[in-house]
Amino acid sequence: AQKVTQAQTEISVVEKEDVTLDCVYETRDTTYYLFWYKQPPSGELVFLIRRNSFDEQNEISGRYSWNFQKSTSSFNFTITASQVVDSAVYFCALLNAGGTSYGKLTFGQGTILTVHP
Amino acid sequence: NAGVTQTPKFRILKIGQSMTLQCAQDMNHNYMYWYRQDPGMGLKLIYYSVGAGITDKGEVPNGYNVSRSTTEDFPLRLELAAPSQTSVYFCASKVGAEPGANVLTFGAGSRLTVL
């Protein structure tokens, strides 16, 4: 069975601080995908990134960066120079690529990020 | 391009009432899903479907039923509403099983309160 753990329930920072959201996953599959979603106060789920298990290259997109380490089963998300608009709930999720997974995502519990002005 | 449309956005039910949450997608996606989101618990899969006429249980199916008579629609039915079903419900879809097509598109959510 697969599992995703986001150990930080809530994080509070002041604008312009850097913040890292942790994600640790468990899976027996060798081929899988990891995701981050953002849920702003309006409630919709916004896709941020997808990573497959064979690509450990870190990725940067503007102020967002992701660090994927298979050795520690972690897929951490860093926001540099945080802004108030980054305030949201962030979810890490796992998808096994096997034929019987049918695209079912396993979500972590979510991390509530609050960025204060 | 509407994507995934959920109705209603909000609903209050009394214990024991029944209702159907509607989900429709216009992207010709084969795979559709229903998740529920409880505070501090992330999203849990209720039911999913890999095509018209094919549905299967997810992690938390008790108290719910689904049907998939068309590719576009995937309604979720609550037969006897209970307070434990108070939650935000998300419908999602994706093209199919291809590894390159596994980014889900989510609806805006339906907030259900059972009193």
Side-chain angles (χ1 to χ4, degrees):
Chain A
Q2 53 268 19
K3 185 178 178 182
V4 176
T5 302
Q6 295 178 249
Q8 303 142 312
T9 304
E10 290 192 56
I11 300 176
S12 183
V13 298
V14 177
E15 215 170 13
K16 297 196 177 74
E17 282 185 31
D18 298 347
V19 57
T20 295
L21 284 62
D22 298 330
C23 173
V24 173
Y25 62 92
E26 297 174 26
T27 180
R28 294 179 187 164
D29 284 21
T30 56
T31 304
Y32 52 88
Y33 294 81
L34 295 163
F35 300 79
W36 277 95
Y37 282 87
K38 174 182 180 180
Q39 186 177 44
S42 51
E44 75 273 21
L45 285 156
V46 179
F47 165 74
L48 294 178
I49 190 172
R50 174 187 65 188
R51 232 28 191 165
N52 74 54
S53 52
F54 298 109
D55 183 1
E56 288 193 69
Q57 191 171 11
N58 291 333
E59 181 155 341
I60 299 175
S61 176
R63 297 183 296 107
Y64 294 171
S65 62
W66 291 270
N67 179 253
F68 176 29
Q69 294 196 336
K70 283 180 78 170
S71 60
T72 55
S73 297
S74 65
F75 186 44
N76 296 337
F77 172 31
T78 297
I79 302 174
T80 303
S82 59
Q83 299 176 1
V84 172
V85 293
D86 296 326
S87 297
V89 183
Y90 290 87
F91 291 100
C92 181
L94 168 69
L95 167 64
N96 288 317
T100 59
S101 71
Y102 301 116
K104 294 175 285 184
L105 282 174
T106 298
F107 283 86
Q109 305 93 313
T111 297
I112 301 171
L113 173 65
T114 304
V115 181
H116 299 280
Chain B
N1 189 357
V4 178
T5 302
Q6 290 183 234
T7 55
K9 286 188 173 12
F10 303 94
R11 181 74 186 267
I12 298 175
L13 280 182
K14 293 183 179 177
I15 294 172
Q17 285 185 321
S18 301
M19 77 157 299
T20 299
L21 297 176
Q22 302 291 344
C23 175
Q25 52 89 12
D26 60 359
M27 299 171 286
N28 204 31
H29 284 178
N30 289 313
Y31 284 33
M32 295 187 75
Y33 310 83
W34 274 106
Y35 287 87
R36 60 177 285 174
Q37 180 183 10
D38 299 319
M41 298 295 290
L43 280 76
K44 303 254 185 232
L45 182 65
I46 306 171
Y47 270 96
Y48 67 100
S49 168
V50 299
I54 307 170
T55 63
D56 205 350
K57 296 176 181 178
E59 190 179 352
V60 289
N62 292 344
Y64 306 95
N65 278 302
V66 294
S67 60
R68 185 96 182 269
S69 56
T70 66
T71 300
E72 294 77 22
D73 301 299
F74 190 40
L76 176 73
R77 181 147 181 91
L78 287 71
E79 290 293 348
L80 290 169
S84 61
Q85 293 176 304
T86 294
S87 190
V88 180
Y89 292 83
F90 286 96
C91 180
S93 71
K94 73 182 189 79
V95 171
E98 300 83 5
N102 55 17
V103 177
L104 268 64
T105 300
F106 282 88
S110 297
R111 183 176 294 274
L112 176 66
T113 302
V114 182
L115 301 173

